[in-house]
Amino acid sequence: GSSTNELGQFNISHVAAGEITLIVSSIGFEDYKQKVTVGNQGKTFVEISLTQSSKELGEVVVLGQRRIT
């Protein structure tokens, strides 16, 4: 797995050559899946554009207690 930098770029190390399925997910966006062929030198370039999701999160309830001493 990996995370992006401030420019949205990422690097995944130690991937064997061959075909893989790249899956990208981010809160508020649809999951993105793409088959990618990794060359013998272990490098490839993929440009990704995520689509905003229309899904909404369920209700979030925050409970707290205050101790009076």
Side-chain angles (χ1 to χ4, degrees):
S2 182
S3 297
T4 63
N5 64 17
E6 64 278 356
L7 300 174
Q9 301 167 335
F10 63 93
N11 181 42
I12 303 174
S13 301
H14 308 293
V15 178
E19 187 173 89
I20 63 165
T21 301
L22 178 67
I23 302 172
V24 178
S25 61
S26 182
I27 295 174
F29 294 88
E30 298 289 337
D31 287 352
Y32 177 90
K33 294 182 183 181
Q34 178 180 338
K35 289 194 184 286
V36 176
T37 301
V38 178
N40 290 331
Q41 294 186 10
K43 293 183 179 181
T44 192
F45 175 82
V46 178
E47 190 167 324
I48 296 169
S49 180
L50 298 179
T51 303
Q52 281 191 307
S53 174
S54 59
K55 297 177 190 172
E56 293 185 17
L57 296 176
E59 179 180 353
V60 176
V61 178
V62 178
L63 301 174
Q65 294 181 345
R66 186 172 95 173
R67 180 182 291 172
I68 300 175
T69 57

